[in-house]
Amino acid sequence: MRILHISKFYPPEPGGIENFVYDLANTQVKHGHHVYVLSHQTDFSKPTKIEIINGVTVIRVRTFGQLAYVPVAPEFTLKIRSVIRCFKPDIIHAHLPNISAFWLICSPKICPIVLHWHADVVASKIDRKMAYLYNFYKPLEKLLLKKADSIICTSKTYLNHSKALRKWLQKCRVVPLGLDPDRLNIDINTQKSPKKPAFTVLSVGRFTYYKGFEYLIDAAEKVPYTHFVLVGDGPGYHTIKARVDQKGLTSQVFLPGKLSQKKLVQLFKDSDIFCLPSLERTEAFGLVLLEAMYFGLPLITTAISGSGVNEVNQHGFTGLQVSAANAEKLAEAAIWFKKNTEKRLAMGNMAKKYFEANYTIENIGNKIERIYNYLLDRI
């Protein structure tokens, strides 16, 4: 099968969607398929680049910056047409949100189109400009949804709460995200660091408006003799750092920025619990939760109405769910885990088993391949 993925970015650019597309593309190559990925260049000074990574042909289109989270890539329209013409894909698999995927609307349709609905463009109460900008995005979104043959949504909860998908339910299939542990270069026999620090709460993500890191900082004030490590970078990094400095928490809260894979893996192994304190449905699934679960970490997540995070973290089984935007509840959950070592370890063990049963990329890749075959059989 010849599969063309259209993704906003592709590793080594970090991010949940990026890592999922990477794992899925690699798995599809292992299954004998020919796979192309068309994405954007993240270094705005570089021209369009073609490279082969683990058998996947990756085309990174020249980009001149970003405008309201959107890559400015005027070459994308020409590149998508030339790739379709030369590669002649059997399946086009576009990962949304990604405004460049809208060029499929005016491209000749030579094969089935699958849209992977990673998230709605949420009319945020936090970032008000998103609601305004969605007015321009929405008409194109409708046209692409109409043209698509199938839509993959990452959870039943998200599908049931998506206004954009309400008209297209007959096209929708629910397949959760998956993770390839091999990508993490994990040696499961590696022990924790011999000089492991105090009880550690780990969080990983892009420092942006919906992640809720400010509430995790406030929670740290209420949990003494505990380290909080927030890994990542992004537009909100300096605001969070200023909050840590202002509260005098520099000996308790650590912001190491973007880390190498090796250092991040060691942090997962050295930490005691993982927390994702997100605030709204822009956090649609939380792929990083799967990484934490693989390492046997119990989870603290926030109960976000309509988000698939609520399905990934089973309250009382793989971790605890608390109300969003609530530092007090985040602190209470961290203290509970700290005091209840036996239950914490049991939940971490259950989280690992739950991941292995439901979220391996091999399992998820097979489900997606069945959707491809169903569409191709209808031609």
Side-chain angles (χ1 to χ4, degrees):
M1 199 181 299
R2 303 171 73 84
I3 304 164
L4 171 61
H5 288 280
I6 299 175
S7 179
K8 188 175 180 181
F9 297 113
Y10 193 75
E13 180 69 12
I17 297 176
E18 289 76 14
N19 285 333
F20 172 73
V21 176
Y22 179 88
D23 287 351
L24 178 60
N26 288 342
T27 297
Q28 290 171 338
V29 166
K30 290 176 183 176
H31 288 182
H33 303 303
H34 301 282
V35 182
Y36 271 49
V37 175
L38 187 59
S39 68
H40 299 92
Q41 189 69 268
T42 53
D43 186 337
F44 303 143
S45 66
K46 292 184 177 180
T48 295
K49 179 181 180 181
I50 301 175
E51 56 188 327
I52 298 177
I53 305 174
N54 300 328
V56 179
T57 301
V58 181
I59 304 170
R60 304 181 198 268
V61 179
R62 186 176 187 180
T63 306
F64 294 92
Q66 291 197 66
L67 182 63
Y69 312 111
V70 174
V72 179
E75 293 179 27
F76 211 96
T77 178
L78 299 175
K79 187 58 66 175
I80 197 170
R81 285 175 174 267
S82 66
V83 169
I84 290 173
R85 184 177 64 253
C86 298
F87 181 51
K88 296 182 173 58
D90 298 305
I91 292 285
I92 295 176
H93 190 152
H95 299 263
L96 302 178
N98 178 8
I99 200 167
S100 291
F102 291 158
W103 291 114
L104 290 171
I105 297 169
C106 54
S107 298
K109 188 174 181 182
I110 66 166
C111 66
I113 295 174
V114 175
L115 302 184
H116 213 121
W117 201 263
H118 291 272
D120 295 341
V121 177
V122 177
S124 173
K125 295 179 181 178
I126 304 168
D127 189 347
R128 295 288 182 177
K129 69 176 178 289
M130 293 300 294
Y132 173 75
L133 293 172
Y134 185 58
N135 292 322
F136 301 93
Y137 184 96
K138 187 176 180 179
L140 296 172
E141 179 183 77
K142 285 183 176 180
L143 290 173
L144 186 56
L145 285 166
K146 182 179 181 180
K147 189 169 185 176
D149 297 278
S150 186
I151 304 162
I152 298 175
C153 196
T154 57
S155 71
K156 290 181 180 178
T157 301
Y158 209 87
L159 176 59
N160 291 338
H161 286 78
S162 174
K163 293 180 180 179
L165 297 181
R166 196 164 293 168
K167 184 180 177 181
W168 313 102
L169 294 179
Q170 75 281 2
K171 294 184 181 182
C172 294
R173 302 290 182 271
V174 174
V175 180
L177 297 184
L179 171 71
D180 183 1
D182 290 342
R183 172 172 53 82
L184 302 174
N185 295 318
I186 299 168
D187 177 0
I188 60 174
N189 295 316
T190 299
Q191 301 298 313
K192 292 179 180 291
S193 295
K195 296 182 180 179
K196 182 186 178 302
F199 189 89
T200 301
V201 179
L202 177 64
S203 192
V204 179
R206 180 168 169 77
F207 282 62
T208 190
Y209 69 93
Y210 65 87
K211 286 295 184 180
F213 286 143
E214 62 271 29
Y215 293 96
L216 192 55
I217 301 304
D218 293 348
E221 280 190 298
K222 309 174 192 298
V223 190
Y225 308 110
T226 300
H227 287 177
F228 287 73
V229 183
L230 284 64
V231 178
D233 57 12
Y237 179 87
H238 294 292
T239 300
I240 294 297
K241 187 177 185 304
R243 195 182 194 95
V244 172
D245 294 341
Q246 181 185 9
K247 291 178 176 291
L249 295 172
T250 53
S251 62
Q252 184 183 358
V253 178
F254 304 93
L255 307 174
K258 182 180 177 181
L259 294 180
S260 68
Q261 192 80 312
K262 182 178 180 180
K263 289 182 179 179
L264 182 57
V265 165
Q266 193 61 58
L267 259 178
F268 272 113
K269 290 177 179 177
D270 288 344
S271 297
D272 297 285
I273 55 179
F274 185 88
C275 181
L276 190 67
S278 303
L279 303 177
E280 59 184 27
R281 286 182 70 247
T282 308
E283 190 71 80
F285 188 91
L287 186 77
V288 70
L289 295 175
L290 305 188
E291 297 182 5
M293 293 164 74
Y294 181 81
F295 285 104
L297 294 182
L299 310 173
I300 299 174
T301 59
T302 46
I304 308 167
S305 178
S307 171
V309 169
N310 305 333
E311 293 185 23
V312 178
N313 183 21
Q314 300 286 306
H315 180 71
F317 179 68
T318 60
L320 300 176
Q321 288 185 19
V322 302
S323 52
N326 193 323
E328 187 73 35
K329 293 298 181 182
L330 289 171
E332 288 176 5
I335 291 170
W336 186 89
F337 275 124
K338 191 174 181 180
K339 289 182 176 179
N340 294 276
T341 302
E342 189 174 324
K343 291 181 179 179
R344 170 173 58 81
L345 294 175
M347 279 192 187
N349 186 48
M350 287 186 286
K352 183 172 178 63
K353 291 180 178 178
Y354 191 63
F355 161 77
E356 291 171 345
N358 296 281
Y359 299 118
T360 64
I361 196 62
E362 184 70 23
N363 182 27
I364 301 308
N366 288 335
K367 291 181 179 181
I368 290 173
E369 190 167 324
R370 285 196 286 271
I371 293 173
Y372 292 171
N373 287 329
Y374 170 75
L375 296 175
L376 292 172
D377 287 344
R378 292 170 56 192
I379 296 177

